Coordinates of all heavy atoms in Angstrom, one line a residue:
D45 N -3.7 1.4 -4.2 CA -5.0 1.2 -3.6 C -5.2 -0.3 -3.5 O -5.8 -0.9 -4.4 CB -6.1 1.8 -4.5 CG -7.4 1.8 -3.9 OD1 -7.6 1.2 -2.8 OD2 -8.3 2.6 -4.3
P46 N -4.8 -0.9 -2.4 CA -5.0 -2.3 -2.2 C -6.4 -2.8 -2.2 O -6.7 -4.0 -2.6 CB -4.3 -2.6 -0.8 CG -4.4 -1.3 -0.1 CD -4.2 -0.3 -1.2
R47 N -7.4 -2.0 -1.8 CA -8.8 -2.4 -1.8 C -9.2 -2.8 -3.2 O -9.9 -3.8 -3.4 CB -9.6 -1.2 -1.3 CG -9.3 -0.7 0.1 CD -10.1 0.5 0.4 NE -10.0 1.5 -0.7 CZ -10.9 2.5 -0.9 NH1 -12.0 2.6 -0.1 NH2 -10.7 3.3 -1.8
R48 N -8.9 -1.9 -4.2 CA -9.3 -2.2 -5.6 C -8.6 -3.5 -6.1 O -9.2 -4.2 -6.9 CB -9.0 -1.0 -6.5 CG -9.8 0.2 -6.2 CD -9.5 1.4 -7.1 NE -10.3 2.6 -6.8 CZ -11.5 2.8 -7.2 NH1 -12.1 1.9 -7.9 NH2 -12.1 3.9 -6.8
V49 N -7.3 -3.7 -5.8 CA -6.6 -4.9 -6.2 C -7.3 -6.1 -5.7 O -7.5 -7.1 -6.4 CB -5.2 -4.8 -5.8 CG1 -4.5 -6.2 -6.1 CG2 -4.5 -3.7 -6.5
L50 N -7.7 -6.1 -4.4 CA -8.3 -7.2 -3.8 C -9.6 -7.6 -4.5 O -10.0 -8.7 -4.8 CB -8.6 -7.0 -2.3 CG -7.4 -7.0 -1.4 CD1 -7.7 -6.5 0.0 CD2 -6.8 -8.4 -1.3
V51 N -10.5 -6.6 -4.7 CA -11.8 -6.7 -5.3 C -11.6 -7.2 -6.8 O -12.3 -8.1 -7.2 CB -12.6 -5.4 -5.3 CG1 -13.9 -5.5 -6.2 CG2 -13.0 -5.2 -3.8
E52 N -10.7 -6.6 -7.5 CA -10.5 -7.0 -8.9 C -10.0 -8.4 -9.0 O -10.4 -9.2 -9.9 CB -9.6 -6.0 -9.6 CG -10.1 -4.7 -9.9 CD -11.4 -4.7 -10.8 OE1 -11.3 -5.5 -11.8 OE2 -12.4 -4.0 -10.5
T53 N -9.0 -8.8 -8.2 CA -8.5 -10.1 -8.2 C -9.5 -11.2 -7.8 O -9.5 -12.3 -8.3 CB -7.3 -10.2 -7.2 OG1 -6.3 -9.2 -7.6 CG2 -6.6 -11.6 -7.3
A54 N -10.4 -10.8 -6.9 CA -11.4 -11.8 -6.4 C -12.5 -12.1 -7.5 O -13.2 -13.0 -7.3 CB -12.1 -11.2 -5.2
R55 N -12.5 -11.4 -8.6 CA -13.5 -11.6 -9.6 C -13.4 -13.1 -10.1 O -14.4 -13.6 -10.6 CB -13.3 -10.7 -10.8 CG -13.8 -9.3 -10.5 CD -13.6 -8.4 -11.7 NE -14.0 -7.0 -11.5 CZ -15.3 -6.6 -11.7 NH1 -16.2 -7.4 -12.1 NH2 -15.6 -5.3 -11.4
D58 N -14.4 -17.8 -5.8 CA -15.8 -18.1 -5.4 C -16.1 -17.2 -4.1 O -17.3 -17.1 -3.9 CB -15.8 -19.6 -5.0 CG -15.6 -20.5 -6.1 OD1 -16.0 -20.2 -7.2 OD2 -14.9 -21.5 -5.9
L59 N -15.1 -16.8 -3.4 CA -15.4 -16.1 -2.1 C -14.2 -15.2 -1.8 O -13.1 -15.6 -1.9 CB -15.6 -17.1 -1.0 CG -15.8 -16.5 0.4 CD1 -17.2 -15.8 0.5 CD2 -15.7 -17.7 1.4
L60 N -14.5 -13.9 -1.4 CA -13.5 -13.0 -0.9 C -13.7 -12.9 0.6 O -14.8 -12.5 1.1 CB -13.7 -11.6 -1.6 CG -12.8 -10.5 -1.0 CD1 -11.3 -10.9 -1.2 CD2 -13.1 -9.2 -1.8
V61 N -12.6 -13.1 1.4 CA -12.7 -13.1 2.9 C -11.7 -12.0 3.3 O -10.6 -11.9 2.9 CB -12.2 -14.4 3.5 CG1 -12.4 -14.3 5.0 CG2 -13.1 -15.6 2.9
L62 N -12.3 -11.1 4.2 CA -11.4 -10.0 4.7 C -11.7 -9.9 6.2 O -12.9 -10.1 6.7 CB -11.7 -8.7 4.0 CG -11.6 -8.6 2.5 CD1 -12.9 -8.8 1.9 CD2 -11.0 -7.3 2.1
G63 N -10.8 -9.4 7.0 CA -11.0 -9.1 8.4 C -11.7 -7.7 8.4 O -11.6 -6.9 7.5
G64 N -12.4 -7.5 9.5 CA -13.2 -6.2 9.5 C -13.4 -5.7 10.9 O -13.7 -6.5 11.8
H65 N -13.2 -4.4 11.2 CA -13.6 -3.8 12.4 C -15.1 -3.5 12.4 O -15.7 -3.5 11.4 CB -12.8 -2.5 12.7 CG -11.3 -2.8 12.8 ND1 -10.7 -3.5 13.8 CD2 -10.3 -2.5 11.9 CE1 -9.4 -3.6 13.6 NE2 -9.1 -3.0 12.5
H67 N -17.8 -0.7 12.5 CA -18.0 0.8 12.4 C -19.1 1.0 11.4 O -19.7 0.1 10.9 CB -16.7 1.5 11.8 CG -16.0 0.7 10.8 ND1 -16.7 0.2 9.6 CD2 -14.7 0.3 10.6 CE1 -15.8 -0.4 8.9 NE2 -14.6 -0.3 9.4
S68 N -19.5 2.3 11.2 CA -20.5 2.6 10.3 C -20.0 2.4 8.9 O -18.8 2.5 8.6 CB -21.0 4.0 10.5 OG -20.0 4.9 10.0
R69 N -21.0 2.2 7.9 CA -20.6 2.0 6.5 C -19.9 3.2 6.0 O -18.9 3.2 5.4 CB -21.8 1.6 5.7 CG -21.5 1.6 4.2 CD -22.8 1.3 3.5 NE -22.6 1.3 2.0 CZ -22.6 2.4 1.3 NH1 -22.8 3.6 1.9 NH2 -22.3 2.3 0.0
G70 N -20.5 4.4 6.3 CA -19.9 5.7 5.8 C -18.5 5.9 6.3 O -17.6 6.3 5.6
E71 N -18.3 5.6 7.6 CA -17.0 5.8 8.2 C -16.0 4.9 7.6 O -14.9 5.2 7.3 CB -17.1 5.5 9.7 CG -15.8 5.6 10.4 CD -15.9 5.1 11.9 OE1 -16.9 4.6 12.3 OE2 -14.8 5.3 12.6
G72 N -16.5 3.6 7.3 CA -15.6 2.7 6.7 C -15.1 3.1 5.3 O -13.9 3.0 5.0
L73 N -16.0 3.6 4.5 CA -15.7 4.0 3.1 C -14.7 5.2 3.2 O -13.8 5.4 2.5 CB -16.9 4.4 2.3 CG -17.7 3.2 1.9 CD1 -19.0 3.7 1.2 CD2 -17.0 2.3 0.9
F74 N -15.0 6.1 4.2 CA -14.2 7.3 4.3 C -12.8 7.0 4.7 O -11.8 7.6 4.2 CB -14.9 8.3 5.3 CG -14.1 9.5 5.5 CD1 -14.1 10.6 4.6 CD2 -13.3 9.7 6.7 CE1 -13.4 11.7 4.8 CE2 -12.6 10.9 6.9 CZ -12.6 11.9 5.9
L75 N -12.7 6.1 5.7 CA -11.4 5.7 6.2 C -10.6 4.7 5.3 O -9.5 4.4 5.5 CB -11.5 5.1 7.6 CG -12.0 6.1 8.7 CD1 -12.2 5.4 10.0 CD2 -11.1 7.3 8.8
G76 N -11.3 4.2 4.3 CA -10.6 3.3 3.3 C -10.7 1.8 3.8 O -9.8 1.1 3.4
S77 N -11.6 1.4 4.6 CA -11.7 0.0 5.1 C -11.9 -0.9 3.9 O -12.8 -0.8 3.0 CB -12.9 -0.1 6.0 OG -13.2 -1.5 6.1
A78 N -11.0 -1.9 3.8 CA -11.0 -2.8 2.7 C -12.3 -3.7 2.7 O -12.9 -4.0 1.7 CB -9.8 -3.7 2.7
A79 N -12.7 -4.0 3.9 CA -13.9 -4.9 4.1 C -15.2 -4.1 3.6 O -16.0 -4.7 2.9 CB -14.0 -5.4 5.5
V80 N -15.3 -2.9 4.1 CA -16.5 -2.1 3.7 C -16.5 -1.8 2.2 O -17.5 -1.9 1.6 CB -16.6 -0.8 4.6 CG1 -17.8 0.0 4.1 CG2 -16.7 -1.2 6.0
Y81 N -15.3 -1.5 1.7 CA -15.2 -1.3 0.2 C -15.6 -2.5 -0.5 O -16.3 -2.4 -1.6 CB -13.8 -0.9 -0.1 CG -13.6 -0.6 -1.6 CD1 -14.0 0.6 -2.2 CD2 -13.1 -1.6 -2.4 CE1 -13.9 0.8 -3.6 CE2 -13.0 -1.4 -3.8 CZ -13.3 -0.2 -4.4 OH -13.2 0.0 -5.7
A82 N -15.2 -3.7 -0.1 CA -15.5 -5.0 -0.7 C -17.0 -5.2 -0.7 O -17.6 -5.7 -1.7 CB -14.8 -6.1 -0.1
L83 N -17.7 -4.9 0.4 CA -19.1 -5.1 0.5 C -19.8 -4.2 -0.5 O -20.9 -4.5 -1.0 CB -19.6 -4.7 1.9 CG -19.3 -5.6 3.1 CD1 -19.6 -5.0 4.4 CD2 -20.0 -7.0 2.9
H84 N -19.2 -3.1 -0.8 CA -19.8 -2.1 -1.8 C -19.5 -2.5 -3.2 O -20.4 -2.4 -4.1 CB -19.3 -0.7 -1.5 CG -19.7 0.3 -2.5 ND1 -21.0 0.9 -2.4 CD2 -19.1 0.9 -3.5 CE1 -21.1 1.8 -3.4 NE2 -20.0 1.8 -4.1
A85 N -18.3 -3.0 -3.5 CA -17.9 -3.1 -4.9 C -17.7 -4.5 -5.4 O -17.6 -4.7 -6.6 CB -16.6 -2.3 -5.0
A86 N -17.5 -5.5 -4.5 CA -17.2 -6.9 -5.0 C -18.3 -7.5 -5.8 O -19.5 -7.2 -5.5 CB -16.8 -7.8 -3.8
T87 N -18.0 -8.3 -6.8 CA -19.0 -9.0 -7.6 C -19.1 -10.5 -7.2 O -19.9 -11.2 -7.7 CB -18.6 -9.0 -9.1 OG1 -17.3 -9.6 -9.2 CG2 -18.5 -7.5 -9.6
V88 N -18.4 -10.9 -6.2 CA -18.5 -12.3 -5.6 C -18.9 -12.2 -4.2 O -18.8 -11.1 -3.6 CB -17.1 -13.0 -5.8 CG1 -16.7 -13.1 -7.2 CG2 -16.0 -12.4 -4.9
P89 N -19.3 -13.3 -3.6 CA -19.7 -13.3 -2.2 C -18.5 -12.8 -1.3 O -17.4 -13.1 -1.6 CB -20.0 -14.8 -1.9 CG -20.5 -15.3 -3.2 CD -19.6 -14.6 -4.2
V90 N -18.9 -12.1 -0.2 CA -17.9 -11.5 0.6 C -18.1 -12.0 2.1 O -19.3 -11.8 2.6 CB -17.9 -10.0 0.6 CG1 -16.9 -9.4 1.6 CG2 -17.6 -9.5 -0.8
L91 N -17.1 -12.5 2.7 CA -17.2 -12.8 4.2 C -16.3 -11.8 4.9 O -15.1 -11.8 4.7 CB -16.7 -14.3 4.4 CG -16.6 -14.7 5.9 CD1 -17.9 -14.7 6.6 CD2 -15.9 -16.1 6.0
V92 N -17.0 -11.1 5.8 CA -16.2 -10.2 6.7 C -16.0 -11.0 8.0 O -16.9 -11.3 8.7 CB -17.1 -8.9 7.0 CG1 -16.3 -8.0 7.9 CG2 -17.4 -8.2 5.7
A93 N -14.7 -11.3 8.2 CA -14.4 -12.2 9.3 C -14.2 -11.4 10.6 O -13.3 -10.5 10.7 CB -13.1 -13.0 9.0
R94 N -14.9 -11.8 11.6 CA -14.8 -11.2 12.9 C -14.8 -12.3 14.0 O -15.3 -13.4 13.7 CB -16.0 -10.2 13.2 CG -16.0 -9.0 12.3 CD -17.1 -8.0 12.7 NE -17.1 -6.8 11.9 CZ -17.9 -6.6 10.9 NH1 -18.9 -7.5 10.7 NH2 -17.8 -5.5 10.2
L193 N -26.6 -12.7 4.5 CA -27.5 -11.9 3.8 C -27.4 -12.0 2.3 O -26.3 -12.3 1.8 CB -27.2 -10.4 4.1 CG -27.3 -9.9 5.6 CD1 -25.9 -10.0 6.2 CD2 -27.8 -8.5 5.6
G194 N -28.5 -11.8 1.6 CA -28.5 -11.7 0.2 C -28.1 -10.3 -0.2 O -28.1 -9.4 0.6
S195 N -27.9 -10.0 -1.5 CA -27.6 -8.7 -1.9 C -28.2 -8.5 -3.3 O -28.2 -9.4 -4.2 CB -26.1 -8.5 -2.0 OG -25.7 -7.3 -2.7
R196 N -28.7 -7.2 -3.5 CA -29.2 -6.9 -4.8 C -28.2 -6.3 -5.7 O -28.5 -5.8 -6.8 CB -30.4 -6.0 -4.7 CG -31.6 -6.6 -4.1 CD -32.7 -5.6 -3.8 NE -32.4 -4.6 -2.8 CZ -33.0 -3.5 -2.5 NH1 -34.1 -3.2 -3.3 NH2 -32.6 -2.7 -1.6
S197 N -26.9 -6.2 -5.2 CA -25.8 -5.6 -6.0 C -26.1 -4.3 -6.5 O -26.0 -4.0 -7.7 CB -25.5 -6.6 -7.2 OG -25.0 -7.8 -6.7
L198 N -26.6 -3.4 -5.6 CA -26.9 -2.0 -6.0 C -25.6 -1.3 -6.3 O -24.6 -1.6 -5.7 CB -27.7 -1.3 -4.9 CG -29.1 -2.0 -4.6 CD1 -29.7 -1.2 -3.4 CD2 -30.0 -1.9 -5.8
S199 N -25.7 -0.2 -7.0 CA -24.5 0.6 -7.3 C -24.9 2.1 -7.3 O -26.1 2.4 -7.3 CB -23.9 0.3 -8.7 OG -24.8 0.5 -9.7
A203 N -27.0 2.4 -3.9 CA -26.3 1.5 -2.9 C -26.3 2.1 -1.5 O -26.0 1.4 -0.6 CB -24.8 1.3 -3.4
S206 N -28.4 0.2 0.7 CA -28.1 -1.3 0.8 C -28.1 -1.8 2.2 O -27.2 -1.4 3.0 CB -26.8 -1.6 0.1 OG -26.4 -2.9 0.4
S208 N -27.5 -4.9 3.1 CA -26.3 -5.8 3.3 C -25.0 -5.1 3.6 O -24.3 -5.5 4.5 CB -26.2 -6.7 2.0 OG -25.9 -5.9 0.9
E209 N -24.8 -4.0 3.0 CA -23.6 -3.2 3.2 C -23.6 -2.6 4.7 O -22.6 -2.7 5.4 CB -23.4 -2.1 2.2 CG -23.0 -2.5 0.8 CD -22.8 -1.4 -0.1 OE1 -22.3 -0.4 0.4 OE2 -23.1 -1.5 -1.3
R210 N -24.7 -2.1 5.1 CA -24.8 -1.4 6.4 C -24.7 -2.5 7.5 O -24.0 -2.3 8.5 CB -26.1 -0.6 6.5 CG -26.0 0.7 5.7 CD -27.2 1.5 5.9 NE -28.3 1.0 5.2 CZ -29.6 1.6 5.2 NH1 -29.8 2.6 6.1 NH2 -30.5 1.1 4.5
V211 N -25.4 -3.6 7.3 CA -25.3 -4.7 8.3 C -23.9 -5.3 8.3 O -23.3 -5.5 9.4 CB -26.3 -5.8 8.0 CG1 -26.1 -7.0 8.9 CG2 -27.7 -5.3 8.2
G212 N -23.3 -5.5 7.2 CA -21.9 -6.0 7.1 C -20.9 -5.1 7.8 O -20.0 -5.6 8.4
A213 N -21.1 -3.8 7.7 CA -20.2 -2.9 8.4 C -20.4 -2.8 9.9 O -19.4 -2.6 10.6 CB -20.4 -1.5 7.7
V219 N -20.0 -11.8 9.0 CA -21.1 -11.6 8.1 C -20.7 -12.1 6.7 O -19.6 -11.7 6.2 CB -21.4 -10.0 8.0 CG1 -22.5 -9.8 7.0 CG2 -21.9 -9.5 9.4
L220 N -21.6 -12.9 6.1 CA -21.4 -13.4 4.8 C -22.5 -12.7 3.9 O -23.7 -12.9 4.1 CB -21.5 -14.9 4.7 CG -21.5 -15.6 3.3 CD1 -20.3 -15.3 2.6 CD2 -21.8 -17.1 3.5
V221 N -22.0 -12.0 2.9 CA -23.0 -11.3 1.9 C -22.9 -12.1 0.6 O -21.8 -12.0 -0.1 CB -22.7 -9.8 1.8 CG1 -23.6 -9.2 0.7 CG2 -22.8 -9.1 3.1
M222 N -24.0 -12.7 0.2 CA -24.0 -13.3 -1.1 C -24.3 -12.3 -2.2 O -24.9 -11.3 -1.9 CB -25.1 -14.4 -1.1 CG -25.0 -15.5 0.0 SD -23.4 -16.3 -0.1 CE -23.4 -17.1 -1.7
R223 N -23.8 -12.6 -3.4 CA -24.0 -11.6 -4.5 C -25.0 -12.2 -5.5 O -25.1 -13.4 -5.6 CB -22.7 -11.4 -5.2 CG -21.7 -10.5 -4.4 CD -22.3 -9.2 -4.1 NE -21.3 -8.3 -3.4 CZ -21.6 -7.2 -2.7 NH1 -22.9 -6.9 -2.6 NH2 -20.7 -6.5 -2.1
D224 N -25.7 -11.3 -6.2 CA -26.6 -11.7 -7.2 C -25.9 -12.1 -8.5 O -26.1 -11.4 -9.5 CB -27.6 -10.5 -7.5 CG -28.8 -11.0 -8.3 OD1 -29.0 -12.2 -8.4 OD2 -29.5 -10.1 -8.8
Q225 N -25.1 -13.1 -8.4 CA -24.3 -13.6 -9.5 C -24.4 -15.1 -9.5 O -23.8 -15.8 -8.7 CB -22.9 -13.1 -9.4 CG -22.0 -13.4 -10.6 CD -20.6 -12.9 -10.4 OE1 -19.9 -13.3 -9.5 NE2 -20.2 -12.0 -11.3

Side-chain angles (χ1 to χ4, degrees):
D45 190 347
R47 304 173 308 158
R48 293 183 181 277
V49 172
L50 288 170
V51 168
E52 288 300 318
T53 304
R55 286 180 179 272
D58 299 319
L59 175 68
L60 174 60
V61 183
L62 304 97
H65 300 292
H67 42 50
S68 71
R69 175 183 175 275
E71 178 188 8
L73 287 175
F74 179 75
L75 295 177
S77 165
V80 176
Y81 178 82
L83 288 170
H84 177 75
T87 58
V88 299
V90 175
L91 172 63
V92 181
R94 297 186 176 102
L193 301 91
S195 172
R196 291 176 292 169
S197 299
L198 300 177
S199 60
S206 170
S208 60
E209 287 184 37
R210 285 184 283 176
V211 171
V219 175
L220 173 61
V221 176
M222 302 305 298
R223 290 300 186 195
D224 190 14
Q225 188 180 60

